Amino acid sequence: MAVNSDERMDKMMQMMQAMMTQVDSLVEKQDSLVEKQDSLQKQVESIQKDINTFVTPLYRVHPVPEDVVSQLTDKTFHETAKKYYGGANSCVILGQLFSPKKSRNYASRWFPAVAEHIVPKAQWTVAENWGFHTTDAKNALLLLKDVELKYQAGRLTLIPAEVQPGRDELILVVEISEALKDTVIKYVDRQCSKFAPVKGKEKGRGELKELKFRDLHGQQISVRPPPHMRALFLKAEMAHRQHQELTNPSRIVDRYTQRCPSMTGDLIQRLLASNSVGPA
């Protein structure tokens, strides 16, 4: 009986040993799977970074430094924009806010405009990915050169006001970054050299005064006919990335889609999602 008992004990020990070996093997396999999972996760994260690096820029506007003189001047673009805006030849912002009401030629004389490509001409692939062309008249705004340079650099932004029932005109709110507010607005030549300060009358009344960008902050302007809402969105998103205090257009998408039905399509919605820059 003792022999049988010992044999049974040996068999049980062997079975226990075999089970422990299997458990150890399973643990090793599990550890290996965890390592593989971690490795795959790192690869996914790396691929995602590559996608963000190479794909996202195709759908985003990027700032243009103020000291960059464009080599891609389109000689016909100004005339195209001027015609689109009914023959206007003055800055759409300063002309409305600081021109004497009784002077018809004051704005074009003292606030001369250049045709600003809302989406820069050199970034034409971004515009095409959003369904329009940088050469479209609706990709233009008429701005004083100094204002245009700041807009291109993302130091100021133009945000659509809430749509008012019964009003077809587009109202844009001017927002100025904190660092720019105390800067004097100046005339700029073709080489981007600045000289005399710009002067104007508050609401077209009172004494002339030197204008600072602070004087534009929070002001509302009317734009008729409206430019591409997609272009305005892209430019505002860029400005928000540059200066977080400026409104993030991704948080007020409805103000754009109400005026641009094409922004409600599946493709545009995916692009809007890819352009989200977080709460602000």
Side-chain angles (χ1 to χ4, degrees):
M1 294 292 293
V3 173
N4 290 337
S5 178
D6 290 343
E7 289 178 352
R8 291 175 62 185
M9 182 63 69
D10 288 342
K11 288 182 179 180
M12 290 178 64
M13 291 298 294
Q14 290 174 7
M15 291 176 63
M16 287 289 292
Q17 186 64 41
M19 291 176 63
M20 291 299 296
T21 300
Q22 290 181 358
V23 169
D24 290 341
S25 177
L26 289 173
V27 169
E28 289 179 0
K29 289 181 179 179
Q30 184 178 19
D31 290 342
S32 177
L33 287 173
V34 170
E35 290 179 1
K36 289 180 179 179
Q37 183 179 15
D38 290 342
S39 176
L40 287 172
Q41 182 63 36
K42 290 179 180 179
Q43 291 180 44
V44 169
E45 291 174 356
S46 177
I47 292 172
Q48 186 62 52
K49 287 181 180 179
D50 289 341
I51 291 174
N52 290 337
T53 300
F54 296 106
V55 177
T56 300
L58 298 178
Y59 301 111
R60 280 183 167 177
V61 164
H62 298 279
V64 178
E66 291 180 53
D67 58 354
V68 172
V69 180
S70 175
Q71 302 300 316
L72 298 171
T73 302
D74 186 340
K75 295 181 180 180
T76 65
F77 190 66
H78 182 89
E79 290 303 318
T80 300
K82 181 179 175 181
K83 182 178 180 180
Y84 178 72
Y85 288 114
N89 200 31
S90 60
C91 176
V92 67
I93 299 175
L94 299 181
Q96 290 186 42
L97 300 178
F98 300 103
S99 294
K101 302 301 181 184
K102 296 181 180 180
S103 177
R104 298 183 61 183
N105 299 321
Y106 187 94
S108 59
R109 180 179 180 182
W110 296 106
F111 307 135
V114 295
E116 143 78 1
H117 288 80
I118 302 175
V119 173
K121 187 175 181 180
Q123 299 178 38
W124 57 270
T125 53
V126 177
E128 291 194 353
N129 286 334
W130 280 73
F132 63 97
H133 301 284
T134 56
T135 53
D136 292 347
K138 294 179 71 173
N139 186 46
L141 282 174
L142 296 173
L143 299 173
L144 186 84
K145 184 63 178 179
D146 198 14
V147 177
E148 184 243 5
L149 291 173
K150 303 300 189 292
Y151 188 47
Q152 289 279 30
R155 301 182 68 188
L156 66 84
T157 190
L158 299 171
I159 300 296
E162 293 186 28
V163 177
Q164 299 295 323
R167 294 184 67 177
D168 294 331
E169 63 185 328
L170 172 63
I171 302 298
L172 295 177
V173 180
V174 184
E175 293 186 10
I176 307 297
S177 61
E178 288 298 326
L180 180 62
K181 285 182 178 178
D182 289 326
T183 301
V184 174
I185 303 173
K186 293 186 176 182
Y187 294 106
V188 178
D189 63 20
R190 292 184 179 181
Q191 284 69 46
C192 292
S193 298
K194 300 176 184 179
F195 45 101
V198 175
K199 296 182 179 181
K201 295 185 177 183
E202 190 78 36
K203 297 182 180 179
R205 299 187 296 271
E207 298 295 324
L208 282 174
K209 69 170 187 175
E210 289 188 2
L211 299 178
K212 294 183 177 181
F213 281 94
R214 178 183 298 279
D215 296 315
L216 310 183
H217 185 66
Q219 300 275 20
Q220 294 189 355
I221 60 170
S222 171
V223 184
R224 288 183 178 177
H228 277 310
M229 299 305 292
R230 287 163 285 178
L232 290 174
F233 175 89
L234 288 166
K235 201 57 164 277
E237 192 272 338
M238 178 273 288
H240 174 71
R241 279 187 280 118
Q242 297 301 112
H243 298 277
Q244 293 289 298
E245 71 270 20
L246 300 178
T247 294
N248 179 358
S250 297
R251 300 292 170 259
I252 51 170
V253 173
D254 60 314
R255 298 188 191 180
Y256 296 86
T257 57
Q258 286 176 345
R259 291 185 173 276
C260 183
S262 62
M263 288 184 71
T264 61
D266 291 340
L267 173 61
I268 296 298
Q269 288 301 314
R270 287 197 293 270
L271 296 181
L272 288 174
S274 73
N275 267 274
S276 178
V277 292

